[in-house]
């Protein structure tokens, strides 16, 4: 939409009929693009970035999340102000994770570092950020999944390799 991106949600039933359409970025006068979505019990979690550049490596807006709880859309949550380039939300067994690439200054110029924050699924309080990888490529999306034992597993590109971590519910 020109220089202003918007994020939309559509709920489609198994026969392909659209049941609901919602502009997620309709709160106040915000904008937002590069969305990701994850689901947990009774919730849909959407993350987006309020930057207005068409390429994630040049984008630097606020990172936000917004939940749909049962049938009601909650107030957006500000996750990071400025310099967030791209995000990915993932609902674990007991926690919501937000992975994001943050623009950092360095001696050789700006770079993007990969961080993660977490919160309980129904909460609005996020943890402090944990650095996962310096000099991460904003084009590499974190992959995450949950296993039957309640662990959340993540894979992401590390310097010249692939990194793996898991979250067991407490660490």
């Amino acid at each position: 939409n020109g220089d202003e991106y918007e994020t939309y949600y559509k709920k489609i039933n198994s026969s392909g009929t659209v049941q609901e359409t919602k502009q997620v970025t309709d709160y106040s006068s915000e904008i937002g693009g590069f969305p990701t979505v994850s689901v947990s019990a009774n919730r849909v979690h959407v993350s987006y970035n309020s930057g207005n550049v068409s390429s994630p490596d040049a984008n630097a807006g606020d990172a936000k999340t917004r939940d749909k709880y049962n049938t009601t859309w909650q107030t957006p949550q500000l996750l990071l102000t400025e310099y967030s380039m791209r995000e990915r939300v993932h609902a674990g067994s007991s926690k919501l994770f937000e992975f994001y690439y943050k623009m950092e200054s360095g001696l050789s110029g700006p770079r993007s570092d990969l961080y993660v924050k977490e919160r309980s699924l129904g909460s609005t309080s996020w943890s402090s950020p944990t650095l996962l990888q310096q000099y991460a490529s904003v084009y590499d999306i974190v992959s995450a999944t949950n296993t039957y034992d309640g662990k959340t597993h993540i894979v992401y590109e590390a310097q010249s390799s692939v990194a793996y971590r898991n979250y067991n519910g407490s660490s």
Side-chain angles (χ1 to χ4, degrees), residues 123-138:
S123 174
T124 59
S125 298
W126 290 91
S127 69
S128 297
T130 299
L131 177 66
L132 295 177
Q133 180 67 46
Q134 286 185 316
Y135 298 96
S137 172
V138 70

Side-chain angles (χ1 to χ4, degrees), residues 24 45 48 56 60-61 78 80 102 106 116 125 127 129 143 147 151 155 164-166:
V24 178
H45 311 275
Y48 54 94
L78 182 63
L80 176 70
K102 181 180 177 192
V116 64
S125 298
S127 69
S143 181
T147 52
K151 289 183 180 178
V155 177
Y164 163 80
R165 290 186 180 194
N166 70 67

Side-chain angles (χ1 to χ4, degrees), residues 71-90:
T71 60
T72 305
W73 283 93
Q74 308 298 300
T75 302
Q77 296 177 9
L78 182 63
L79 188 70
L80 176 70
T81 57
E82 300 180 36
Y83 308 117
S84 174
M85 302 165 77
R86 195 172 191 185
E87 301 79 37
R88 183 188 192 282
V89 68
H90 176 77

Side-chain angles (χ1 to χ4, degrees), residues 49-53 55-62 82-85 103:
N49 189 292
S50 66
N52 61 3
V53 179
S55 176
D57 64 336
N59 197 48
D62 294 344
E82 300 180 36
Y83 308 117
S84 174
M85 302 165 77
M103 187 182 297

